[in-house]
Amino acid sequence: MSEYSTVEHDVLVIGAGGAGLRASIEAAAQGVSVGLVCKSLLGKAHTVMAEGGVAAALGNVDGRDSWEVHFADTMRGGGYLNNWRMAELHAKEAPDRVRELEAWGALMDRTPDGRILQRNFGGHAYPRLAHVGDRTGLEMIRTLQDHGIHKGIDVHMEVTIVSLLTDGDRVVGAVGYDRERGRFRVFRAGAVVMATGGIGKAFLITSNSWEYTGDGHALAYHAGAELVDMEFVQFHPTGMVWPPSVQGILVTEGVRGEGGVLKNSEGRRFMFDDIPPLYKDQTADTPEEGWRYVTGDKEARRPPELLTRDHVARCILREVREGRGSPHGGVFLDIAWIDEKVSDGPAHIKRKLPGMYHQFKELAGIDITKEPMEVGPTTHYAMGGIRVDADTQMSSLPGLFAAGECAAGLHGANRLGGNSLSDLLVFGRRAGLHAAEFASSHGRGTVDAGQVETAVREALAPLERAGDANDGGPYYIMQSVQELMQAKAGIIREEDGLREALDGLRDIARKAAGVAVNGNRDFNPGWHTALDLKNILTVAEAVVRAARERKESRGAHSRTDYDGKDPDWGTVNLVLRKGEGGEMDLRREAVPEMRQELADIIQEQG
Amino acid sequence: MKTAAFKIWRGDASGGAFQDFQVDVKPGYVVLDAVRKIQADEAHDMAVRWNCKAGRCGSCSAEVNGMPRLMCMTKLHDLPEDQPITVEPLKAFPIVRDLVTDVSWNYEVKKRIKPFKPRAPDHEDGTWEMHQEDVDRVMEFRKCIECFLCQDVCHVLRDHHKHEDFIGPRFFVYAAALEMHPLDEEDRRDDLRQEHGIGYCNITKCCTKVCPEGITITDNAIIPLKERVVDRAYDPLAKLVQLVRGK
């Protein structure tokens, strides 16, 4: 028998970014006991990196905004594959969730009349993103953290979950280890909320940190839950490209929202060259009109730099591939030019984008108030994830809930900037609420000691086996997944590459199954990385299988062999589930028909 | 390719020593890049914390050439080339392993500080009116990424180990952000003086010097808090008002 301690909670929340914190706070408010597990220290999760803002139709800057417009924008951005009920709840509830943050101590930038200021962002019809300079995510996570620590939530810092525990179909807990000493901990719970974030580490160039190995996606999948929309991975158009050590680090869309323009090596604003028909009427005809838009002229239309992320990323890639890129394989993003438009441009830029100024100055030696940045696409966000019920956020397994990036539905084929921070507030709250209700009505389930034993044994295996000296060790196996996915399943995909990706993943999985690590269980990142391999391989396979199946280009999913949208695919979601024999089953499912009043809203909004 | 020499402290609570490494470096390399390269190539089990690698999460705090720094924001280019770069764990906290220390004390301290308590909303819809100049006053404090470098460098904690009686610069910044929050109505002055030990700070400004966010910790947070505490403790008029109000 393996050694482990047992902890009991009514609700166990896995992941302590915005979604996990918001879920914990809501569950605790229902009077149930809550445990919150995080892989890192509290307050370090990726929410901290969110820069631009949180989308909510407060209408503080433009009174024409409303939940209906936000709803329609979100659906259009998502290629209409979104779960429309989630898009509706999100648009309706986001304003309250943002105002609530203020009641908990958040401080956001203000309008001249003392309300929350909102800024423009890609795909949003009106200035909609509440923000604090370019560190909105930090403000949010700190507010939730500082509020949450007084709510009686038990925080398990630096604990990694390796397996969910089930009783029949129902999820009744989880097994994890603490990073500090490698001691195993069994969590027995009435309900589990997955809030583990994304899968960015499945790719080489990413804005995500080491944590984002798709743990929640993989844990849920292996426990039997369904995943959906896994082919849709967002490549943010603007990541840093130089120097190599910072490649992929995010450059906020806020730069473009404040008037930054994209140019190729010939100095041309190439975004004007290709404007999708769906957005033709909403896009500026001239640079002059674009500037009027970002400075608040309600009659003006948005500059093409603020088209949706999938489109901007593809345009950048086109410029680079056709030989008009910047010296280090990106394009130029210029905010310094606004000095000709505003008084004291450098001071204005530093006030609006302090984090970006600091980041480029420190890491690239570039003064963005004087010279353009070099930027290129970076893996940013998984639209796909655990399939959930729109209202309760419960997955296809009773007792397992999911919220935030690891849950799917709200964003469809492409997420709008700012909609992730609102997503995690709206659905973090809902997941916490319904998990607490589930736990109260069902009580704690029964933990099967055999499942615990298997999970612990599997987790210890890399420390105990003699390894293959030639496999490069856990870090290089991880890197081989990233290189493969970047090359074969990235922004541009096609059948041969995807087939090769699947074969490649199979080979890597064989190596991973035999990986050995040296050292002991005390804070051993080699061991931790070895355990993350199973998750990353699971989500990588899910992405590739779904991408291969979807024979069209829509949203973030682009195929050279199936150019453009196919109306038949416009009504289909791809659902993945672990089959009886352990293989990954994929099936097509029709997108549910939208309620008439919502369809009417979309009609009206064009 | 250029190489750089590193001396990295490895060990645990029972002791340890510097270990030598040579790393091939690429343009723009920061200390964290080198540490991760060493980890991937030859020291798989080397313990190190990091997350965002962009100076925004405050996880990769360590002492580089003896100075508390974020490893992800310390470029090799800015360090002397003629000597090995030393990397060692923070000194103000118990060692876990290699470059990782037990910083949980900080999380306990934060819980002891009275939380945000807003005044009643200004409007019926539950919202408040705040102006940019009101919020700007505390924005500096809210930039804090909780890297705890200020805690590490503070001699009250580092040398005198007053962890029981003194909350450290990070939490004076936190308290200042609350005390100067335009909506907050809580009074933390007695706590600051008695429980939080603000008197131990003798404003040597070491914390301000190491803050990667450039927060003027001593001048803008600690000194104004000290003034508020003193005003409350020794202002006879305030004492009288206090008596009358029974607070």
Side-chain angles (χ1 to χ4, degrees):
Chain A
M1 277 297 285
S2 303
E3 263 185 50
Y4 55 84
S5 58
T6 302
V7 186
E8 302 213 3
H9 298 292
D10 292 321
V11 173
L12 175 71
V13 179
I14 304 172
L21 280 163
R22 189 62 190 81
S24 302
I25 290 168
E26 197 64 21
Q30 309 310 310
V32 302
S33 73
V34 180
L36 174 60
V37 169
C38 47
K39 239 168 145 176
S40 287
L41 297 170
L42 189 62
K44 308 299 185 194
H46 225 54
T47 304
V48 104
M49 294 294 284
E51 293 164 352
V54 45
L58 298 162
N60 287 356
V61 172
D62 194 321
R64 292 174 295 179
D65 204 8
S66 64
W67 78 262
E68 288 92 341
V69 187
H70 192 182
F71 166 75
D73 286 349
T74 301
M75 294 297 295
R76 187 188 303 110
Y80 299 103
L81 285 187
N82 325 48
N83 177 319
W84 51 262
R85 174 65 177 157
M86 281 177 80
E88 177 194 7
L89 290 170
H90 168 255
K92 282 181 173 167
E93 295 178 7
D96 279 346
R97 296 288 78 75
V98 171
R99 285 191 281 260
E100 177 177 75
L101 285 180
E102 200 153 84
W104 295 347
L107 284 173
M108 284 170 269
D109 284 342
R110 318 305 297 178
T111 61
D113 64 350
R115 293 184 295 163
I116 295 171
L117 182 62
Q118 298 181 272
R119 70 159 47 124
N120 286 308
F121 238 57
H124 293 282
Y126 302 115
R128 189 175 285 146
L129 269 69
H131 62 277
V132 194
D134 54 8
R135 57 161 193 83
T136 314
L138 174 66
E139 186 68 19
M140 269 184 55
I141 198 167
R142 204 64 83 226
T143 299
L144 293 168
Q145 175 189 345
D146 296 349
H147 183 74
I149 58 174
H150 298 286
K151 301 294 164 194
I153 298 160
D154 286 329
V155 181
H156 303 268
M157 285 203 289
E158 296 192 308
V159 168
T160 304
I161 299 298
V162 292
S163 185
L164 291 179
L165 297 168
T166 50
D167 179 1
D169 261 359
R170 184 184 163 193
V171 172
V172 293
V175 186
Y177 64 89
D178 71 72
R179 302 176 85 81
E180 187 174 322
R181 296 286 169 236
R183 290 164 297 209
F184 288 89
R185 209 173 293 179
V186 169
F187 298 90
R188 181 173 171 234
V192 175
V193 178
M194 207 54 94
T196 52
I199 66 165
K201 273 292 160 191
F203 295 83
L204 195 62
I205 299 172
T206 174
S207 63
N208 291 190
S209 84
W210 66 268
E211 290 195 283
Y212 298 87
T213 45
D215 297 11
H217 292 73
L219 290 168
Y221 167 82
H222 288 294
E226 290 176 341
L227 305 180
V228 67
D229 295 339
M230 288 302 287
E231 65 274 35
F232 299 113
V233 177
Q234 181 167 78
F235 299 91
H236 193 289
T238 59
M240 292 177 81
V241 297
W242 187 260
S245 70
V246 299
Q247 198 172 34
I249 293 179
L250 192 64
V251 178
T252 177
E253 192 167 324
V255 176
R256 285 168 282 145
E258 297 295 342
V261 298
L262 290 164
K263 287 183 176 171
N264 63 19
S265 60
E266 295 162 2
R268 184 177 172 76
R269 266 181 86 175
F270 57 87
M271 287 307 301
F272 275 106
D273 298 344
D274 177 10
I275 294 163
L278 200 57
Y279 286 93
K280 208 105 203 161
D281 295 342
Q282 305 177 6
T283 308
D285 287 329
T286 61
E288 184 272 333
E289 184 183 2
W291 173 252
R292 281 196 286 119
Y293 177 87
V294 299
T295 49
D297 182 344
K298 291 179 182 174
E299 301 308 312
R301 294 166 299 174
R302 80 187 86 181
E305 276 84 0
L306 290 178
L307 285 164
T308 53
R309 289 175 171 177
D310 51 340
H311 180 73
V312 180
R314 274 192 299 271
C315 289
I316 291 175
L317 205 64
R318 179 194 66 217
E319 293 304 305
V320 175
R321 288 192 170 179
E322 294 176 7
R324 296 184 296 273
S326 65
H328 301 106
V331 294
F332 295 107
L333 171 61
D334 186 8
I335 183 78
W337 81 276
I338 67 169
D339 194 32
E340 26 176 292
K341 295 283 191 184
V342 299
S343 66
D344 199 358
H348 178 86
I349 293 164
K350 282 185 214 172
R351 189 171 63 250
K352 290 289 185 182
L353 302 161
M356 287 301 106
Y357 174 76
H358 187 67
Q359 183 173 312
F360 274 88
K361 191 94 183 140
E362 292 297 316
L363 295 173
I366 298 275
D367 181 348
I368 67 166
T369 69
K370 295 199 177 73
E371 47 195 325
M373 298 158 249
E374 272 189 79
V375 296
T378 180
T379 315
H380 188 53
Y381 190 88
M383 272 69 74
I386 302 164
R387 192 184 198 197
V388 290
D389 174 77
D391 288 77
T392 64
Q393 297 288 289
M394 192 159 87
S395 72
S396 55
L397 299 182
L400 179 67
F401 299 74
E405 188 173 353
C406 73
L410 172 59
H411 309 294
N414 176 57
R415 174 175 71 80
L416 299 185
N419 269 2
S420 59
L421 291 185
S422 40
D423 173 8
L424 55 82
L425 292 174
V426 168
F427 294 107
R429 177 187 154 275
R430 282 185 165 268
L433 177 68
H434 293 285
E437 278 175 8
F438 185 95
S440 300
S441 57
H442 290 75
R444 286 175 204 158
T446 312
V447 166
D448 170 10
Q451 289 179 24
V452 177
E453 194 61 27
T454 306
V456 171
R457 218 176 319 124
E458 211 177 286
L460 287 174
L463 286 164
E464 287 159 359
R465 64 170 79 98
D468 173 356
N470 300 316
D471 69 9
Y475 301 96
Y476 282 99
I477 295 177
M478 177 75 81
Q479 194 180 318
S480 63
V481 178
Q482 295 162 350
E483 284 167 354
L484 182 70
M485 291 297 285
Q486 187 77 32
K488 310 284 183 192
I491 305 181
I492 303 287
R493 300 160 170 174
E494 44 89 32
E495 175 62 24
D496 289 346
L498 291 167
R499 200 184 52 244
E500 287 161 29
L502 214 49
D503 293 342
L505 288 173
R506 207 169 297 128
D507 293 340
I508 299 170
R510 253 195 304 275
K511 276 191 196 172
V515 70
V517 293
N518 52 23
N520 59 28
R521 281 154 71 171
D522 292 348
F523 214 113
N524 182 345
W527 179 42
H528 305 161
T529 303
L531 297 183
D532 290 341
L533 288 172
K534 179 180 170 186
N535 299 333
I536 205 91
L537 283 160
T538 301
V539 293
E541 183 184 343
V543 168
V544 173
R545 284 193 188 279
R548 223 181 138 187
E549 181 75 4
R550 183 172 287 278
K551 294 177 174 55
E552 66 157 352
S553 295
R554 178 183 300 270
H557 172 66
S558 299
R559 290 190 55 154
T560 50
D561 45 357
Y562 297 96
D563 202 19
K565 285 182 190 159
D566 176 342
D568 289 344
W569 275 105
T571 54
V572 175
N573 290 122
L574 293 175
V575 180
L576 292 151
R577 190 164 186 265
K578 192 171 181 174
E580 296 290 332
E583 73 292 348
M584 199 173 268
D585 281 347
L586 184 150
R587 69 169 195 277
R588 301 178 186 190
E589 216 171 283
V591 174
E593 203 173 326
M594 199 183 296
R595 249 182 23 240
Q596 192 53 45
E597 56 168 301
L598 297 178
D600 292 345
I601 290 169
I602 286 175
Q603 214 44 189
E604 280 163 33
Q605 299 295 331
Chain B
M1 197 179 275
K2 259 181 68 174
T3 63
F6 278 81
K7 281 182 176 298
I8 300 179
W9 193 89
R10 304 208 58 194
D12 55 30
S14 63
F18 283 101
Q19 200 175 325
D20 292 322
F21 297 97
Q22 289 285 331
V23 192
D24 295 333
V25 298
K26 289 184 187 165
Y29 247 37
V30 292
V31 170
L32 183 60
D33 288 315
V35 167
R36 287 183 55 215
K37 183 93 174 88
I38 292 165
Q39 197 185 43
D41 287 342
E42 49 186 316
H44 293 180
D45 65 340
M46 187 159 73
V48 54
R49 272 196 194 105
W50 67 281
N51 273 42
C52 77
K53 210 180 160 297
R56 286 173 171 257
C57 78
S59 300
C60 63
S61 305
E63 299 194 359
V64 178
N65 286 350
M67 281 295 287
R69 305 284 295 259
L70 293 179
M71 287 188 276
C72 73
M73 296 300 278
T74 307
K75 282 178 288 189
L76 300 195
H77 182 75
D78 295 336
L79 300 171
E81 278 180 40
D82 54 351
Q83 63 196 59
I85 297 161
T86 64
V87 188
E88 50 194 315
L90 301 181
K91 297 288 187 337
F93 308 111
I95 189 84
V96 173
R97 191 156 171 271
D98 301 339
L99 300 177
V100 174
T101 53
D102 178 359
V103 293
S104 58
W105 170 80
N106 292 286
Y107 292 85
E108 294 306 316
V109 168
K110 191 185 246 185
K111 280 194 213 162
R112 303 207 309 259
I113 297 168
K114 285 182 187 155
F116 176 64
K117 189 172 125 190
R119 67 170 188 247
D122 300 337
H123 304 293
E124 272 182 18
D125 64 357
T127 62
W128 290 269
E129 188 176 318
M130 278 187 277
H131 292 274
Q132 192 67 38
E133 53 271 28
D134 303 328
V135 302
D136 279 347
R137 208 155 55 111
V138 275
M139 282 303 188
E140 178 186 12
F141 306 140
R142 298 188 67 91
K143 287 195 307 187
C144 173
I145 56 174
E146 301 200 327
C147 63
F148 308 129
L149 291 178
C150 57
Q151 306 286 72
D152 181 52
V153 81
C154 177
H155 60 98
V156 183
L157 298 171
R158 186 187 181 94
D159 301 325
H160 303 293
H161 311 290
K162 292 280 182 194
H163 295 71
E164 291 291 308
D165 313 313
F166 180 71
I167 61 174
R170 158 60 193 138
F171 296 104
F172 292 124
V173 168
Y174 178 62
L178 289 166
E179 285 284 297
M180 299 180 204
H181 191 296
L183 304 184
D184 184 76
E185 288 192 324
E186 188 57 85
D187 186 348
R188 300 170 189 81
R189 289 174 294 181
D190 285 344
D191 283 357
L192 282 164
R193 189 164 61 90
Q194 289 155 16
E195 317 290 328
H196 304 333
I198 195 166
Y200 282 109
C201 168
N202 56 2
I203 52 176
T204 51
K205 304 194 183 186
C206 309
C207 50
T208 304
K209 286 188 201 106
V210 302
C211 178
E213 286 295 308
I215 302 170
T216 319
I217 302 174
T218 319
D219 290 353
N220 292 355
I222 298 180
I223 293 175
L225 284 182
K226 278 176 175 271
E227 284 166 354
R228 285 180 181 220
V229 166
V230 169
D231 287 351
R232 174 168 180 90
Y234 302 109
D235 181 349
L237 194 65
K239 269 271 185 275
L240 191 68
V241 173
Q242 229 178 296
L243 276 175
V244 174
R245 280 181 165 178
K247 173 180 169 182

